[in-house]
Amino acid sequence: MRRRRGIGSQSIVLSNPKKRNALSLAMLKSLQKDILHEAESQDLKVIVISAEGPVFSSGHDLKELTDEQGPDYHAEVFRTCSEVMMMIQNHPVPVIAMVNGLATAAGCQLVASCDIAVASDKSSFATPGVNIGLFCSTPGVALGRAVPRKVALEMLFTGEAMSAQEALLHGLLSRVVPEEQLEEETMRIARKVASLSRPVVSLGKAAFYRQLAQDLRTAYHLASQTMVDNLGLPDGQEGIKAFLQKRKPIWSHRVASSEDPGP
Amino acid sequence: MRRRRGIGSQSIVLSNPKKRNALSLAMLKSLQKDILHEAESQDLKVIVISAEGPVFSSGHDLKELTDEQGPDYHAEVFRTCSEVMMMIQNHPVPVIAMVNGLATAAGCQLVASCDIAVASDKSSFATPGVNIGLFCSTPGVALGRAVPRKVALEMLFTGEAMSAQEALLHGLLSRVVPEEQLEEETMRIARKVASLSRPVVSLGKAAFYRQLAQDLRTAYHLASQTMVDNLGLPDGQEGIKAFLQKRKPIWSHRVASSEDPGP
Amino acid sequence: MRRRRGIGSQSIVLSNPKKRNALSLAMLKSLQKDILHEAESQDLKVIVISAEGPVFSSGHDLKELTDEQGPDYHAEVFRTCSEVMMMIQNHPVPVIAMVNGLATAAGCQLVASCDIAVASDKSSFATPGVNIGLFCSTPGVALGRAVPRKVALEMLFTGEAMSAQEALLHGLLSRVVPEEQLEEETMRIARKVASLSRPVVSLGKAAFYRQLAQDLRTAYHLASQTMVDNLGLPDGQEGIKAFLQKRKPIWSHRVASSEDPGP
């Protein structure tokens, strides 16, 4: 389910609370479609993923993982899920998770995969698959890149939940606030991101993830080129000019000097 | 020194407190033997490494690192030590360190190399080799993969000890408890791990470390295949069936459908 | 600007407070020269980088990044900056940042690039380039290797400042102290490092960064060889002998047995 907000923020809401927002194959495909829907629109500046009900998401729909479906179906489920997670990282705009409740297994993976994650202090996080004989190996990909490895391994081996405060401490969350401030704080960050130049943010996001996987010298080579490219963007020059002239920048959101500005 | 416990947990105790449980070549070879001893036994579900006396381990036996032994002997010491540390990570069951006291140099490396580490609040951790002219380079391999790099570098360059609380904060430990609860809390986690399906945990542990060293796409490819393989395990299907039928799973611990069950 | 201290510590002071210690190309080249100046001197044991005024450094000089200079000049700025940062990591002695105030953009990158960073509790850290249309992509190289990725991404996407306490918590800093203790605490650490054997510290520092970029097996192979090499250093043997003889070691700081000792 998706909604638009005036500020350039797209809101995607997991809205199957009766099934604890399980990431069934249908739900994953719908999520994929929603995430891609406006990716190329110059008006889109930020995506916020939230959920209805007390469970953010309980992960895969276990009814889809029984013997009856068989390994080919299982493979499609995990491939689609992995594609959704990578799509978040590869998306041109920042994706924020707004979590108010329990996020488990692939639900926890979804939080770990977002660029920014804000949670209410009553939220908690777990990878409990091991309890039902299905080790959270794909959630471990995102979790193991978000928190120290001993933190990830304890969650994976014991299935025990981590509080929002612990998740903040260990890097799984960006911010924890009381439940009544969750929407306000998340939208404050979303508005901030939406006030920035889209091509500048896109370029920076892509470069950040790309350089992080490289050795230091290659990373600096890539990032230095990104800085030069960024300065070549119309908004790169506008921002610096505005700063030196002590005025607010006016973003064109154009990706090249010769390009037709967005609507 | 090793002991068995009824629950499927193997207990390995460093038991040379007079020598501060120094990891002499003999001690390392004994540790290696103990760790391998029951690795292939289907009854083994978890290993707990602890120590007698106020020092968990002081690291290498410096008498073995003088000129007299020469570089070939030194190389054997470090090669054996590295093999022990990698063996812990490659072991089919989770390895838990239970620490009550000081862990320094290769002793700190041993804690960092375990999958889970529980410590009493009086424990402390240091890599003080630099004080005696022997930089803790091999401990730095495990430490640098467990904590943020500035934390590791300060420990390595100053040799100063880190408290259990700091170690917890920075990811070197999984849990810190008062001394009188150390055994209880460690065994609670060990019992939890021992109650799980051994082949499920083994598959998940191996996949976690393997994917962590890969780029995101390769990591998801490996982990997705692991999920499919996990669902193909008898205990993978049993767990899901039990969950859907709202009953406790009964693990067979078999690694393939056609395989003869363990004793 | 550089000063020498008696203890083997070189002090580099960013001393253009009127321009908020901006890292102009001239400043970067001067920093580069200062960092290299005594690199090969056996008397040099540690470098401390600090700054005059309330801003540690505000990052690049934006006047150098306008259209007028053009992409070749921009590229030179970022290449020089990257070289300075890598030079810190590749330097034979530890480099300590002593921060008392705001460190932003490339100024924050400089702190992240040092081996150890001590800051006063009034200090803060930000990568606000996105606000002026220039995403902090090169600072993100150092930041993304110092703190968890969600922490880095929130700083990069929102431009908001992180307090010294948060920076400590997330691994960007090694130590936070009240302002009036900043110099004392930093010099305590510097004196400690300066009391160690230079070739031992150099060997260890280089090996630490090298192994960290490798897979575990290669890392242990490299680090084990480093340990053997370390024991082959005159100070490696002196340290162990002194320890076994219960006396203080006397470092020769020589890099080979046959080598002429330093002055």
Side-chain angles (χ1 to χ4, degrees):
Chain A
M1 186 181 120
R2 55 180 186 258
R3 283 182 274 150
R4 281 298 306 282
R5 293 169 186 267
I7 61 160
S9 160
Q10 180 192 351
S11 176
I12 298 175
V13 186
L14 307 177
S15 48
N16 195 356
K18 281 188 187 162
K19 298 203 90 183
R20 299 160 56 90
N21 295 311
L23 297 174
S24 64
L25 188 52
M27 175 79 111
L28 285 167
K29 286 188 171 170
S30 152
L31 196 50
Q32 197 169 22
K33 222 170 100 185
D34 286 353
I35 291 171
L36 280 182
H37 180 62
E38 303 190 82
E40 300 313 316
S41 158
Q42 300 230 26
D43 288 343
L44 180 70
K45 304 296 190 322
V46 63
I47 292 175
V48 177
I49 300 179
S50 61
E52 282 177 18
V55 175
F56 179 79
S57 171
S58 59
H60 292 290
D61 182 347
L62 295 179
K63 286 184 189 149
E64 295 185 344
L65 301 179
T66 61
D67 257 351
E68 280 93 75
Q69 282 79 22
D72 288 352
Y73 189 85
H74 299 162
E76 189 186 352
V77 169
F78 299 118
R79 192 175 53 242
T80 308
C81 182
S82 300
E83 274 166 16
V84 167
M85 303 301 162
M86 286 188 281
M87 188 178 286
I88 289 173
Q89 190 162 310
N90 295 330
H91 200 280
V93 308
V95 180
I96 304 176
M98 175 166 80
V99 185
N100 189 25
L102 182 64
T104 62
C108 181
Q109 179 185 5
L110 180 57
V111 177
S113 299
C114 287
D115 301 307
I116 292 176
V118 187
S120 68
D121 51 14
K122 71 165 205 186
S123 301
S124 59
F125 303 87
T127 48
V130 79
N131 289 327
I132 56 151
L134 182 59
F135 199 94
C136 282
S137 288
T138 38
V141 172
L143 191 65
R145 284 161 175 75
V147 302
R149 73 182 59 189
K150 272 210 172 48
V151 174
L153 281 169
E154 198 203 346
M155 288 180 72
L156 292 165
F157 281 142
T158 69
E160 290 176 11
M162 187 157 78
S163 72
Q165 279 301 336
E166 289 172 294
L168 178 68
L169 194 70
H170 291 305
L172 181 60
L173 296 175
S174 318
R175 209 63 71 97
V176 173
V177 291
E179 187 177 359
E180 61 274 18
Q181 292 166 27
L182 177 61
E183 180 134 4
E184 182 190 325
E185 175 67 3
T186 308
M187 292 318 295
R188 189 188 66 76
I189 295 173
R191 269 193 305 272
K192 175 65 204 267
V193 174
S195 77
L196 303 167
S197 164
R198 176 183 151 121
V200 167
V201 169
S202 284
L203 186 67
K205 175 174 170 176
F208 179 77
Y209 285 114
R210 201 167 58 238
Q211 60 83 4
L212 210 54
Q214 307 294 327
D215 67 274
L216 192 68
R217 181 158 295 277
T218 310
Y220 268 125
H221 185 77
L222 286 171
S224 295
Q225 186 54 51
T226 302
M227 295 297 272
V228 174
D229 294 347
N230 188 152
L231 285 170
L233 289 172
D235 286 345
Q237 282 308 317
E238 163 61 10
I240 285 173
K241 265 178 220 150
F243 180 82
L244 295 175
Q245 293 165 10
K246 297 179 182 175
R247 60 168 176 86
K248 261 183 84 103
I250 299 159
W251 307 128
S252 71
H253 303 291
R254 287 182 297 141
V255 297
S257 312
S258 57
E259 188 208 14
D260 194 43
Chain B
M1 189 179 116
R2 55 182 186 257
R3 284 182 273 151
R4 282 298 306 281
R5 295 169 185 267
I7 60 161
S9 158
Q10 181 193 348
S11 176
I12 297 176
V13 185
L14 307 177
S15 50
N16 194 358
K18 282 188 187 162
K19 298 203 89 181
R20 299 160 56 94
N21 295 312
L23 297 174
S24 64
L25 188 53
M27 176 78 113
L28 285 167
K29 285 187 172 171
S30 152
L31 195 50
Q32 198 169 23
K33 224 171 98 184
D34 286 354
I35 292 171
L36 280 182
H37 181 61
E38 303 190 81
E40 299 314 315
S41 158
Q42 299 230 26
D43 288 343
L44 180 71
K45 304 296 189 326
V46 63
I47 292 176
V48 176
I49 300 179
S50 61
E52 283 177 18
V55 176
F56 179 78
S57 171
S58 58
H60 291 291
D61 183 349
L62 295 180
K63 287 184 189 149
E64 294 185 343
L65 301 180
T66 61
D67 258 352
E68 280 93 74
Q69 280 79 22
D72 288 353
Y73 188 85
H74 300 161
E76 190 188 352
V77 168
F78 298 119
R79 191 175 54 241
T80 308
C81 181
S82 299
E83 275 165 17
V84 167
M85 303 300 163
M86 286 189 280
M87 189 178 286
I88 288 173
Q89 190 161 309
N90 295 330
H91 200 281
V93 307
V95 180
I96 305 177
M98 175 167 81
V99 185
N100 189 25
L102 182 64
T104 62
C108 181
Q109 180 185 5
L110 180 58
V111 176
S113 299
C114 286
D115 302 306
I116 292 176
V118 187
S120 68
D121 51 14
K122 70 165 206 187
S123 300
S124 60
F125 304 85
T127 48
V130 80
N131 288 327
I132 56 151
L134 181 59
F135 199 94
C136 282
S137 288
T138 37
V141 172
L143 191 65
R145 284 160 175 76
V147 303
R149 73 182 58 191
K150 272 210 173 46
V151 174
L153 281 169
E154 198 203 346
M155 288 180 73
L156 292 165
F157 281 142
T158 69
E160 289 176 11
M162 186 157 76
S163 71
Q165 279 301 337
E166 289 173 294
L168 178 68
L169 194 70
H170 292 305
L172 181 60
L173 296 175
S174 318
R175 209 62 72 92
V176 172
V177 291
E179 187 179 359
E180 61 273 18
Q181 293 166 26
L182 177 61
E183 179 134 5
E184 183 190 325
E185 175 67 4
T186 309
M187 292 317 297
R188 190 187 66 77
I189 295 173
R191 269 193 304 273
K192 176 63 204 271
V193 174
S195 77
L196 303 167
S197 164
R198 175 181 152 123
V200 167
V201 170
S202 284
L203 186 68
K205 175 174 170 176
F208 179 79
Y209 285 113
R210 202 166 57 237
Q211 59 83 3
L212 209 56
Q214 307 294 329
D215 67 275
L216 193 67
R217 182 158 293 278
T218 310
Y220 268 125
H221 185 78
L222 286 172
S224 295
Q225 186 54 51
T226 301
M227 295 297 271
V228 175
D229 294 346
N230 187 343
L231 285 169
L233 288 172
D235 286 346
Q237 281 309 315
E238 163 61 11
I240 284 172
K241 267 177 218 149
F243 180 83
L244 295 174
Q245 293 165 11
K246 298 182 182 173
R247 60 168 175 85
K248 261 183 84 104
I250 299 161
W251 307 127
S252 70
H253 302 291
R254 286 183 296 141
V255 298
S257 312
S258 57
E259 187 208 13
D260 194 42
Chain C
M1 187 181 117
R2 58 183 183 254
R3 282 182 274 150
R4 280 298 304 283
R5 292 170 188 266
I7 61 160
S9 158
Q10 181 191 350
S11 176
I12 298 175
V13 186
L14 307 177
S15 48
N16 194 357
K18 281 188 187 161
K19 297 203 91 183
R20 298 161 55 93
N21 295 312
L23 297 173
S24 64
L25 188 52
M27 176 78 111
L28 285 167
K29 286 188 172 170
S30 151
L31 196 50
Q32 197 168 23
K33 222 170 100 188
D34 286 353
I35 292 172
L36 280 182
H37 180 60
E38 302 189 83
E40 299 314 317
S41 157
Q42 300 230 27
D43 287 343
L44 180 70
K45 305 294 190 323
V46 63
I47 291 175
V48 176
I49 299 179
S50 61
E52 282 176 19
V55 175
F56 178 79
S57 171
S58 58
H60 291 290
D61 182 347
L62 295 179
K63 287 183 188 150
E64 295 184 343
L65 301 179
T66 61
D67 257 352
E68 281 93 73
Q69 281 79 21
D72 288 351
Y73 188 86
H74 300 162
E76 190 187 351
V77 168
F78 298 119
R79 191 175 55 241
T80 307
C81 182
S82 300
E83 275 165 16
V84 167
M85 303 300 163
M86 286 189 280
M87 187 178 287
I88 289 173
Q89 189 161 309
N90 295 330
H91 200 281
V93 307
V95 180
I96 304 177
M98 174 166 82
V99 185
N100 188 25
L102 182 64
T104 61
C108 181
Q109 180 185 4
L110 180 57
V111 176
S113 299
C114 287
D115 302 305
I116 292 177
V118 187
S120 68
D121 51 14
K122 70 165 206 187
S123 300
S124 60
F125 304 86
T127 49
V130 80
N131 289 328
I132 55 151
L134 181 60
F135 199 94
C136 282
S137 288
T138 38
V141 172
L143 192 65
R145 283 159 177 77
V147 304
R149 75 181 57 191
K150 271 208 173 51
V151 174
L153 281 168
E154 198 204 345
M155 288 179 73
L156 291 165
F157 281 142
T158 69
E160 289 175 11
M162 185 157 78
S163 71
Q165 279 301 336
E166 288 173 295
L168 177 68
L169 194 69
H170 292 305
L172 182 59
L173 297 174
S174 318
R175 206 65 70 93
V176 173
V177 292
E179 187 178 359
E180 60 274 18
Q181 293 166 27
L182 177 62
E183 180 135 4
E184 182 191 325
E185 175 67 4
T186 308
M187 291 318 295
R188 190 188 65 76
I189 295 173
R191 269 193 304 272
K192 176 63 204 271
V193 174
S195 76
L196 303 167
S197 164
R198 176 183 151 122
V200 166
V201 169
S202 283
L203 186 67
K205 175 175 170 176
F208 179 78
Y209 284 113
R210 201 166 58 237
Q211 60 83 3
L212 209 56
Q214 307 294 328
D215 68 275
L216 193 67
R217 182 158 294 276
T218 309
Y220 268 125
H221 185 78
L222 286 172
S224 295
Q225 186 54 51
T226 301
M227 295 297 272
V228 174
D229 294 345
N230 189 151
L231 285 170
L233 288 172
D235 286 346
Q237 282 307 317
E238 162 61 11
I240 285 174
K241 267 178 217 150
F243 180 81
L244 295 175
Q245 293 167 8
K246 297 178 183 177
R247 60 169 176 85
K248 263 184 83 106
I250 299 160
W251 307 127
S252 70
H253 302 292
R254 286 182 296 140
V255 297
S257 312
S258 56
E259 188 208 12
D260 193 44

